[in-house]
Amino acid sequence: MDEAMDFFGVVKRQICNCSLGLNLSPDVEGILKMPMRELHMSIPVRMDDGSIRTFQGFRVQYNNARGPTKGGIRFHPDETINTIRGLAAIMTWKCALHDLPLGGAKGGVICNPKEFSEAELERLSRAYMQSICRFIGPDRDIPAPDVYTNPTVMAWMMDEYANVTGNTAFGVITGKPVSLGGSEGRHDATARGGWMAIREAAADLEMDLAGATVAVQGFGNAGYHAAFLGTAHYGAKIVAVSDSRGAISRPDGLDPEAVLAHKNETGSVIRFEGAETISNEELLELDVDILIPAALENAITMQNADRIRARIVAELANGPTTTEADEILYDHQIHIIPDFLCNGGGVIVSYFEMVQNFTMDHWPEAEVYRRLDEKITTAYRAVKDFSRTYAVPMRQAAYTIAVERVVKAMEYRGCV
Ligand code: GLU
């Protein structure tokens, strides 16, 4: 299978890469390369015109050695079980690297939510929850938002879980609206955590973030907030952004809020006044200080890796760089902040949301930010120190630390 098509294959190769240093037995490696459990379901949904469409959905619970499995739900037309498996594995390493008492999972439905009315989206969200609710729960598996799902979808799903089980279990799902058991700071946590990691990387490279040029690929939840926080909190200059329809660039800097208003009005960032329209490929190859891939997997491949000119690549998306591309970036001495280190802010604040739900508490925003910073900074320094000490790429360092923690838990539990 083509590497770009076999995302799970890429993730499995990463496990092999770090297993040498850890001296993993083939038996243990075998367990780590297989999902613990998978649900495949057909989800019939009544559409507004009275017809019934049946969608295919998945939930992969990858590894629960360190705790209940955790990970988002994606609604995307190009979804595949292969991608979900890879993403569920990455969630396992992400939770371990950030030292959360959680395992990894991911879910998805093959659909294009942009074609749905609000009522259709609600019916699909509730139907998906109905098909997984017997297999999840606050101490089993806890979903969250991901590509094309949001707090409203989480609220419908939480309500559906309550309808079916009879329990108003806030902790069954995270990324909920703040007035329904959600946490302060969850909505932009992925981007905020990403910038905390970038701040650490910039300090390492002695790069001044004020005035640093940044290109952001993707303008969804992660991409928009990355652009916004970059300008508002760090004084960086966002010179290009993109979405699935194309990219725009403006060397003097873009105002992310104005671009968002334009996108909300027209459906896309393209044709934003005063900016030049470029392609998504051109955006990735811009001569910038920081490149933030914040869209989907496989953005940086063997085809374009040679032409990436950024000094820092901060992977806010999951799996944006293929293995071959990774080697090229490493050879070019580009500082990569690997995905599950860089984008851990989302699940970290999800975990804080669970803690608040379990204790019936509500933390102020400043408390959430303080704890998030502590988590991200600790993980960043651990990965960087490991990478320097053993002269291995940042990604391999992150994998090795995370996989070792998962294996330790498996040993203590007597699984291996
Ligand atoms: N979907 C996010 C991720 O990929 C967050 C997951 C969560 O909060 O459980 O990390």
Side-chain angles (χ1 to χ4, degrees):
M1 202 189 285
D2 178 341
E3 190 182 47
M5 303 292 294
D6 185 16
F7 182 65
F8 187 40
V10 172
V11 175
K12 284 192 285 189
R13 272 196 292 285
Q14 301 288 358
I15 302 172
C16 301
N17 279 350
C18 70
S19 80
L20 282 178
L22 288 177
N23 249 327
L24 294 183
S25 72
D27 295 355
V28 172
E29 210 181 292
I31 299 175
L32 294 174
K33 284 164 143 183
M34 290 283 278
M36 173 184 81
R37 184 181 297 129
E38 285 187 6
L39 304 171
H40 293 227
M41 50 269 188
S42 305
I43 311 169
V45 177
R46 179 145 335 253
M47 308 308 281
D48 289 347
D49 65 4
S51 67
I52 293 178
R53 278 180 66 189
T54 303
F55 298 94
Q56 225 190 324
F58 314 105
R59 182 76 185 164
V60 175
Q61 299 170 342
Y62 198 84
N63 182 302
N64 68 353
R66 286 178 50 90
T69 54
K70 178 97 191 79
I73 298 168
R74 316 198 326 161
F75 287 172
H76 198 276
D78 300 329
E79 203 53 83
T80 67
I81 182 65
N82 178 293
T83 315
I84 297 283
R85 278 182 195 135
L87 293 168
I90 290 180
M91 284 308 301
T92 308
W93 322 135
K94 193 181 303 189
C95 292
L97 178 68
H98 293 284
D99 214 0
L100 308 177
L102 296 165
K106 198 69 129 197
V109 178
I110 305 174
C111 67
N112 186 357
K114 290 182 184 167
E115 289 170 356
F116 296 158
S117 69
E118 172 106 346
E120 288 168 339
L121 186 63
E122 175 171 352
R123 287 197 288 274
L124 173 67
S125 304
R126 288 183 182 277
Y128 179 78
M129 178 49 90
Q130 276 174 22
S131 41
I132 63 167
C133 69
R134 280 164 198 79
F135 305 95
I136 67 166
D139 46 17
R140 283 185 182 177
D141 179 22
I142 306 98
D146 206 292
V147 173
Y148 293 156
T149 55
N150 58 31
T152 307
V153 170
M154 298 304 113
W156 290 326
M157 289 191 179
M158 192 212 102
D159 182 62
E160 197 57 34
Y161 183 84
N163 289 343
V164 176
T165 63
N167 302 320
T168 305
F170 282 126
V172 71
I173 202 159
T174 60
K176 301 179 294 294
V178 171
S179 50
L180 195 68
S183 176
E184 302 292 342
R186 177 64 184 86
H187 70 291
D188 64 4
T190 306
R192 191 175 292 272
W195 271 104
M196 290 165 176
I198 295 171
R199 180 197 63 205
E200 295 301 305
D204 280 345
L205 302 183
E206 293 175 14
M207 177 194 286
D208 192 357
L209 285 181
T213 51
V214 184
V216 183
Q217 187 208 28
F219 211 64
N221 180 276
Y224 164 68
H225 286 113
F228 175 76
L229 292 173
T231 50
H233 286 227
Y234 295 90
K237 198 154 52 158
I238 309 300
V239 295
V241 299
S242 74
D243 60 24
S244 55
R245 300 218 202 139
I248 52 171
S249 91
R250 186 167 184 270
D252 288 341
L254 293 157
D255 170 1
E257 283 176 293
V259 178
L260 182 66
H262 171 79
K263 183 179 163 96
N264 288 341
E265 208 178 292
T266 66
S268 171
V269 300
I270 56 172
R271 285 191 277 279
F272 178 71
E273 215 187 304
E276 189 193 338
T277 297
I278 58 173
S279 66
N280 249 301
E281 291 72 39
E282 286 169 315
L283 175 140
L284 294 169
E285 296 165 17
L286 287 174
D287 188 6
V288 287
D289 296 312
I290 304 165
L291 172 63
I292 306 183
L296 294 173
E297 51 285 351
N298 297 326
I300 305 176
T301 65
M302 232 164 59
Q303 270 71 47
N304 60 6
D306 246 338
R307 295 191 295 275
I308 305 288
R309 287 184 282 172
R311 281 180 73 200
I312 295 176
V313 172
E315 296 182 339
L316 219 48
N318 286 310
T321 311
T322 65
T323 321
E324 283 114 352
D326 216 19
E327 283 163 17
I328 298 172
L329 299 190
Y330 186 66
D331 286 347
H332 290 194
Q333 293 177 356
I334 294 172
H335 188 70
I336 302 180
I337 311 176
D339 55 1
F340 63 90
L341 169 58
C342 191
N343 69 23
V347 73
I348 290 170
V349 178
S350 273
Y351 162 70
F352 296 160
E353 185 173 328
M354 290 174 66
V355 174
Q356 292 169 78
N357 291 157
F358 286 143
T359 53
M360 291 291 207
D361 202 355
H362 190 79
W363 302 348
E365 197 178 68
E367 176 71 5
V368 172
Y369 294 165
R370 185 186 66 73
R371 289 181 187 240
L372 172 63
D373 206 336
E374 202 175 285
K375 280 275 181 210
I376 293 278
T377 309
T378 305
Y380 179 89
R381 295 198 180 142
V383 172
K384 191 204 71 190
D385 290 349
F386 190 103
S387 144
R388 291 228 173 128
T389 309
Y390 298 100
V392 294
M394 290 282 281
R395 193 182 315 279
Q396 194 175 333
Y399 260 92
T400 310
I401 295 170
V403 169
E404 185 173 27
R405 288 181 184 169
V406 173
V407 172
K408 268 262 153 356
M410 283 160 58
E411 282 168 6
Y412 279 126
R413 294 177 75 144
C415 315
V416 292

